Amino acid sequence: MEKGGKELKVSAIKNGTVLDHIPANQLFKVISILGLKDCANQITFGTNLDSKLLGKKAIIKVADMFFEETEINKVALVAPDTKINIIKDFEVVEKKVLRVPDEITGIVKCANPKCVTNHEPITTKFSTEYENGVLKLHCHYCEKNTGSDNLKIITEN
Amino acid sequence: MPKSLISIHDFTKEEMLHVLDVAQEFEKNKVQPILRDKVIATLFFEPSTRTRLSFETASNRLGARVIGFSDAGNTSVSKGETLKDTIKMVSNYVDLIIMRHPLEGAARYASEVASVPVINAGDGANQHPSQTMLDLFTIRQTQGRLTDLSINMVGDLKYGRTVHSLLQAMSHFNPNFTFTAPDELKMPQEYKDFLDAKGIPYHETRDLEGSLNDCDILYMTRVQQERFTDPMEYEKVKNTYNLTASMLGGARENMKILHPLPRITEIAQDVDDTKHAYYFKQAENGVYARMAIISYLLGYK
Ligand SMILES: [Zn+2]
C-alpha cells in the first residue's frame, strides 16, 4: 500500500514526450487527436490517477516521439492545461505550454447539423476565437460557432 | 481561384459601392448584352422561384445563355452524386455558377472546387448576399445616400438572415438601428456585440406603433415557419405585427418600407397605396443588383 504518496508509478521513459495533467475524461480525445492509435512507438497510459488540481488526471508517455508544435497544440482544444515535458536520457530537457492554434483543419466536427461538412465528404476548417474567455471554433463553411464545450472529435472509422 | 460572392463579407466597402454604381447604370440602361458569348448555370438544389427568376432575368438581360435546374429532385444529385462532382462537371461547361442549396456552407465549398466564379443565392439560413446588395441599392435609391440613416428592422430578427447581413453591410455607413421584435425573435447577442464593438447605436422594442415615426427605412420581415423547430413557438409569434396604412400618419416624409417578400400578414394591402410602400420596386431592383454582381465577377464592369 502507498501511504498517501503523490508519486506516480507510470514507468519512466528514456527519450520521448510526456503529456501530464490531462483531465481523465479527456484522455481518449487526446489519444485520438494525436493519432496514437496508429502509432508504433512504445506508449504508456495512466488514467484516473489522483491529482490535487484535477481530481482525476491522466498521463501519456510516448517513447522516442517528439511532436511538431502545430501537432501538439491541437491537444489544447480538449485539454488546454496539459503539461508537455520533453525527455532526453531520463531528464526533462524542455517544458512546453500549449497554445490553441489559430486555424484547425480536420479533427473537429462542426456542431451545426445543417453544415455542409456534416453531409458531404469535406475536411472541416475552423478559425479559433475567444468570446468572453471561452474558446469558439468559427466554421469556415457555415460561419457558425462551435463552443469548446461542444467539441466532437472526428475519429476515423 | 476566381472571385466569388458567397457572403457579404467577401466585398469590401469599395466593392459594394462600385457594384451599386454599376447597378444604377443598368437601371438607366437595361439593355446591355455584354455577356452575349457567355453561359451561366443556375443550380437550385432547393427551389426558390422568386430568386431564380430574378437571377435568370438578370442573366438574360446581359445577353448570356442560362442552363440549370430549379429543383434537385430529378437530377444526378438525387442519385447520390457528391456536390463536388456536380460543381466540377458544371464548371467545365459554364462561365459562372449561381447556386442555392439547403445546406449551410455549400456555396463556400462550391467556390473552392469550381474553376469559375460562384454566386451564393442562399445556403440554408446562412447567407444570401445578392439580397443584401439589392437592399443597399434600394436604400440608397430612396434616400439619396447610405450614410447617417435610421433603420428600423421589424419582425423575425432572430432567424432572419437578410437582416443580419444588412446590419453588417450598413455598419460601414454610420447608421442607427431600432430592432422591433417579440421577445422570442430578438436580435441575437452576437450582432449586438458587433454593433457595440463598432460604436453603432441601437435600441430594442416590442412596440411597432411606437417605433414608426423616427426612421428613414422600415425594414419589415416575414416570420418564416421553416426556421422554427417548435410549431408552438411559431404559432405564438406569427401574427405579432400587422402594419396598416392608418398607422403611418406620423411617419417621416422620406420614410420607405422595404420587405424581402413574400409577405403574409405583416403588411396590410392598404399600405401598398401609400407613398411609403417600396417593396415592389425593391424586388425589381434585384435584377439590376444581380446584373451588376454577375458582370463585376466576370470582369466586365
Ligand atoms: Zn459548419
Side-chain angles (χ1 to χ4, degrees):
Chain A
M1 284 296 275
E2 264 187 275
K3 36 183 180 115
K6 291 165 232 151
E7 268 306 288
L8 287 172
K9 296 300 173 201
V10 180
S11 63
I13 53 172
K14 185 173 181 213
N15 295 300
T17 305
V18 174
L19 292 86
D20 199 357
H21 295 281
I22 303 168
N25 58 359
Q26 300 293 66
L27 172 66
F28 290 97
K29 283 186 183 171
V30 174
I31 290 171
S32 143
I33 283 180
L34 293 175
L36 297 179
K37 188 172 66 91
D38 304 311
C39 174
N41 298 36
Q42 201 180 86
I43 307 176
T44 326
F45 303 109
T47 188
N48 296 328
L49 307 167
D50 290 322
S51 157
K52 250 194 247 159
L53 273 166
L54 300 165
K56 295 287 179 194
K57 72 164 185 177
I59 189 166
I60 303 175
K61 299 186 177 194
V62 192
D64 304 314
M65 174 88 106
F66 304 97
F67 296 90
E68 293 288 332
E69 199 94 343
T70 52
E71 197 61 22
I72 199 86
N73 273 334
K74 293 172 181 171
V75 170
L77 285 177
V78 295
D81 297 320
T82 299
K83 303 281 179 292
I84 311 295
N85 291 327
I86 308 300
I87 313 290
K88 291 210 170 127
D89 216 6
F90 296 107
E91 296 286 332
V92 177
V93 294
E94 195 188 344
K95 288 174 181 286
K96 283 189 181 170
V97 179
L98 292 178
R99 210 190 119 261
V100 176
D102 297 336
E103 278 213 347
I104 310 280
T105 307
I107 313 171
V108 180
K109 232 170 103 66
C110 180
N112 174 9
K114 294 206 71 186
C115 179
V116 69
T117 60
N118 288 317
H119 299 266
E120 297 272 337
I122 301 172
T123 307
T124 59
K125 198 167 144 192
F126 302 90
S127 55
T128 56
E129 49 197 59
Y130 284 89
E131 215 175 84
N132 307 319
V134 181
L135 174 65
K136 302 250 179 209
L137 303 190
H138 182 76
C139 178
H140 166 72
Y141 291 101
C142 72
E143 307 183 24
K144 298 284 179 300
N145 288 336
T146 296
S148 52
D149 46 348
N150 207 3
L151 286 194
K152 285 208 180 62
I153 303 298
I154 298 168
T155 42
E156 313 86 273
N157 59 91
Chain B
M1 217 158 55
K3 175 135 186 103
S4 289
L5 178 60
I6 306 304
S7 152
I8 195 66
H9 315 293
D10 295 342
F11 275 175
T12 62
K13 179 184 177 183
E14 288 65 36
E15 281 177 303
M16 281 184 209
L17 291 171
H18 171 71
V19 171
L20 296 183
D21 290 342
V22 174
Q24 200 172 342
E25 187 196 318
F26 280 127
E27 190 199 16
K28 284 199 203 101
N29 180 6
K30 298 178 179 66
V31 188
Q32 295 190 48
I34 52 177
L35 303 182
R36 208 178 278 128
D37 55 345
K38 300 288 181 209
V39 180
I40 291 176
T42 51
L43 310 183
F44 278 59
F45 295 86
E46 156 186 270
S48 171
T49 308
R50 191 176 298 272
T51 303
R52 187 171 53 83
L53 290 181
S54 179
F55 269 113
E56 292 188 354
T57 304
S59 305
N60 278 293
R61 287 225 180 268
L62 290 165
R65 308 283 174 131
V66 180
I67 63 156
F69 49 84
S70 55
D71 182 342
N74 46 13
T75 65
S76 54
V77 179
S78 62
K79 299 181 189 116
E81 186 178 58
T82 62
L83 179 59
K84 180 180 179 179
D85 288 5
T86 308
I87 298 298
K88 283 269 182 211
M89 175 198 68
V90 174
S91 62
N92 286 338
Y93 294 166
V94 303
D95 301 288
L96 179 132
I97 293 173
I98 294 159
M99 71 177 270
R100 187 184 187 95
H101 200 286
L103 292 174
E104 295 161 20
R108 177 72 64 198
Y109 178 65
S111 73
E112 291 172 353
V113 297
S115 53
V116 298
V118 174
I119 299 175
N120 182 9
D123 59 330
N126 187 31
Q127 295 281 340
H128 190 14
S130 64
Q131 175 73 46
T132 311
M133 291 305 297
L134 82 87
D135 289 342
L136 291 179
F137 181 77
T138 305
I139 291 172
R140 193 173 74 164
Q141 185 178 59
T142 62
Q143 308 297 327
R145 64 182 203 277
L146 283 171
T147 45
D148 308 316
L149 295 173
S150 295
I151 298 176
N152 185 356
M153 295 176 162
V154 183
D156 178 3
L157 307 187
K158 182 178 177 187
Y159 300 105
R161 67 179 169 197
T162 53
V163 293
H164 301 156
S165 301
L166 182 60
L167 176 154
Q168 291 171 318
M170 284 303 297
S171 71
H172 294 295
F173 304 103
N174 193 39
N176 73 75
F177 289 108
T178 301
F179 301 136
T180 309
D183 287 341
E184 295 85 349
L185 297 174
K186 280 170 68 175
M187 184 62 76
Q189 192 58 43
E190 57 176 301
Y191 296 103
K192 292 188 265 180
D193 290 344
F194 169 83
L195 295 177
D196 288 337
K198 294 199 127 202
I200 295 171
Y202 58 86
H203 81 270
E204 299 185 88
T205 177
R206 270 171 305 195
D207 175 26
L208 177 60
E209 288 217 63
S211 67
L212 285 175
N213 296 347
D214 339 295
C215 59
D216 304 304
I217 294 291
L218 185 67
Y219 198 99
M220 303 282 297
T221 62
R222 174 169 65 99
V223 177
Q224 294 189 66
Q225 187 172 11
E226 58 269 30
R227 303 277 177 244
F228 285 81
T229 43
D230 181 358
M232 291 295 288
E233 200 191 343
Y234 173 69
E235 286 305 316
K236 241 168 46 191
V237 296
K238 67 174 185 187
N239 293 323
T240 311
Y241 299 120
N242 179 234
L243 182 68
T244 60
S246 63
M247 292 159 71
L248 294 168
R252 289 182 185 171
E253 272 297 300
N254 63 312
M255 190 274 267
K256 297 292 181 215
I257 304 163
L258 273 53
H259 189 300
L261 301 180
R263 66 171 152 178
I264 314 174
T265 54
E266 59 277 6
I267 303 178
Q269 301 283 332
D270 66 1
V271 176
D272 299 357
D273 302 324
T274 68
K275 63 181 177 217
H276 303 292
Y278 210 77
Y279 26 92
F280 295 118
K281 178 66 183 163
Q282 179 189 7
E284 177 196 325
N285 286 341
V287 174
Y288 312 130
R290 289 171 175 126
M291 287 171 83
I293 293 165
I294 292 167
S295 46
Y296 173 66
L297 292 180
L298 284 173
Y300 281 76
K301 289 281 178 180

